[in-house]
Amino acid sequence: MEIVGVALSVTGLWVFLGLNYSLKPYSDPMMWYLFGKGFPAEFGTTGRAYGFPLLIYLASLVAGPFRVFLINIPLLGIMLVMSYLLARTLCRQAGSWVSSWAPLCGAAAVFMLVRMDLPMLLYLTNPYRDPLAFILMMGSVLCLLRFVHQESHPLRWVAASAFLFAMGIAARDTVILMGLPYIIFMIWARLRDRTLPFGKAAVVGGLVFILAFAPQAWQNRLVSGHSIVPAQAAEEIERKGSVTPGVRADFFADTFPNTVAYLWKQYGWGLTGLFALGVGAAAWKRHAGLLALCLPGTIVYFLFYAGYKSVMARYLLVVDMLAVPVMAFGVAVLLRGALRMLRLLRVENSLAPVLGLVLLAATAAILLLQKPEA
């Protein structure tokens, strides 16, 4: 039934996007489209990350040069599924006390993401690189979680995580900021489980990352002469003393309070309370995935974009993507606590999946009942 619910939500999203799609053949979408269309000739001549244009180029060989402009519609559906899987996995790994609520956590993540960011999802139907970057980043996180939580700790999951992480950076340079949460998470996991092959994981993950990052390093070298620092960032260092375009320390004083105000408007008391509850419950249970991956990731990206020249809703979507699993965990804890108070815990194993399906169906209904924009 989970698959049916997720399929309903994704179908609802695709119908909504299809009915409300507005072509924007200019600015960033056109830039990425043209890079992808002429990828063989363009690679190595621009400081832009190559991952998304490469996907556009490969997809155009199948879909043609015009239909490929719609590539983000299927990608947004995949992004929704990845959000579901991440929240579901993190809840299941919290322990047997709450594992039956995992489908509800996934459904709650999808529901909250759609309710919060539906206008942004519609905005991203044009060729922006964000959906691909989020898919790769969440895929990398899921592989890392699987490596740590499987009893045999198969190194293939570390290799997969490192590969997807490098590809995420190739899609959007700022994915590299997840490197700090990854390090915190792996150290935490090693301290809790001495059987974890930390050294082997570091070697395997490092080698795979280096190999997967090599095309990006090559492009950086061709464009700016720097292999590690992204070409666009290298140009900014030379011109403005900023490692990232648009981000500077002197912007922080103005943008930080505006970013807080934007996120408060986005979350309000309800979602902020669920986030706090999720963090508190994760701390109580020492949940490494939520406390060492999602929470630090949320903070790192929030602080990073609070130093941008202005509040950019599209850039702050990554904060939502990492905060939503924590909020979803808060939903599960809240509902389980309510059942405990009512002395109805005996029904949680049957009730939780039903509630999850109801939430996914509600998400699909919200999407399908949206009136097309004029």
Side-chain angles (χ1 to χ4, degrees):
M1 294 302 289
E2 281 186 72
I3 295 175
V4 173
V6 174
L8 280 173
S9 295
V10 172
T11 302
L13 178 66
W14 284 339
V15 170
F16 169 79
L17 297 179
L19 292 175
N20 292 275
Y21 178 75
S22 177
L23 183 68
K24 292 183 172 63
Y26 53 83
S27 190
D28 279 12
M30 198 62 184
M31 176 195 70
W32 292 115
Y33 170 74
L34 292 175
F35 187 177
K37 186 178 178 183
F39 184 81
E42 292 289 330
F43 181 82
T45 66
T46 173
R48 304 287 179 179
Y50 79 91
F52 184 49
L54 175 59
L55 179 63
I56 290 175
Y57 173 70
L58 294 175
S60 70
L61 299 178
V62 177
F66 302 109
R67 284 191 293 269
V68 78
F69 208 84
L70 304 175
I71 191 169
N72 272 6
I73 292 181
L75 287 181
L76 285 164
I78 297 171
M79 189 180 87
L80 210 63
V81 173
M82 296 300 287
S83 182
Y84 175 89
L85 291 175
L86 181 58
R88 186 188 190 281
T89 300
L90 287 166
C91 183
R92 185 172 292 279
Q93 292 178 351
S96 59
W97 69 283
V98 77
S99 60
S100 61
W101 293 88
L104 176 72
C105 278
V110 169
F111 180 83
M112 288 186 287
L113 192 62
V114 167
R115 290 296 292 169
M116 282 193 299
D117 292 308
L118 188 56
M120 181 54 61
L121 297 180
L122 179 58
Y123 183 81
L124 292 174
T125 50
N126 281 280
Y128 289 97
R129 56 184 174 163
D130 307 71
L132 176 63
F134 294 149
I135 290 168
L136 293 168
M137 183 181 75
M138 287 188 286
S140 175
V141 170
L142 283 166
C143 289
L144 196 62
L145 288 169
R146 188 147 191 176
F147 163 71
V148 168
H149 284 273
Q150 278 197 350
E151 190 174 348
S152 59
H153 306 302
L155 291 173
R156 65 179 179 273
W157 291 114
V158 170
S161 178
F163 176 78
L164 292 172
F165 186 46
M167 291 297 97
I169 295 169
R172 189 176 185 85
D173 303 325
T174 52
V175 169
I176 200 170
L177 294 176
M178 277 301 291
L180 177 59
Y182 278 20
I183 293 169
I184 296 171
F185 175 71
M186 287 300 294
I187 292 174
W188 183 324
R190 181 66 176 88
L191 291 174
R192 293 185 65 178
D193 182 2
R194 293 293 179 179
T195 67
L196 189 78
F198 187 88
K200 290 181 180 179
V203 171
V204 170
L207 287 174
V208 172
F209 179 84
I210 289 169
L211 290 173
F213 185 74
Q216 181 75 31
W218 183 31
Q219 178 180 252
N220 294 341
R221 187 75 177 175
L222 289 173
V223 175
S224 68
H226 300 272
S227 297
I228 304 300
V229 179
Q232 194 177 3
E235 294 170 1
E236 290 292 317
I237 292 172
E238 293 178 6
R239 289 191 295 135
K240 302 178 181 178
S242 171
V243 72
T244 304
V247 176
R248 291 206 325 236
D250 53 318
F251 291 151
F252 194 81
D254 290 329
T255 308
F256 177 82
N258 292 332
T259 303
V260 172
Y262 169 81
L263 290 176
W264 179 253
K265 183 179 179 182
Q266 187 88 330
Y267 300 159
W269 284 106
L271 294 182
T272 302
L274 287 174
F275 184 82
L277 181 59
V279 170
W284 176 47
K285 289 295 183 179
R286 299 180 181 178
H287 192 313
L290 290 171
L291 294 177
L293 280 173
C294 291
L295 181 59
T298 301
I299 294 171
V300 165
Y301 279 107
F302 163 70
L303 292 176
F304 181 77
Y305 286 120
Y308 199 71
K309 58 187 176 183
S310 62
V311 176
M312 294 290 291
R314 177 163 64 90
Y315 295 170
L316 289 171
L317 181 59
V318 68
V319 175
D320 295 347
M321 299 297 298
L322 291 169
V324 155
V326 183
M327 296 172 185
F329 189 63
V331 170
V333 171
L334 182 65
L335 292 177
R336 191 177 189 276
L339 288 183
R340 187 183 184 88
M341 289 179 62
L342 296 170
R343 298 181 180 180
L344 292 173
L345 278 179
R346 63 185 180 278
V347 304
E348 68 174 330
N349 289 337
S350 55
L351 181 62
V354 172
L355 291 177
L357 185 60
V358 169
L359 263 183
L360 290 172
T363 303
I366 289 169
L367 290 164
L368 292 172
L369 293 175
Q370 291 282 332
K371 292 182 179 180
E373 293 187 352

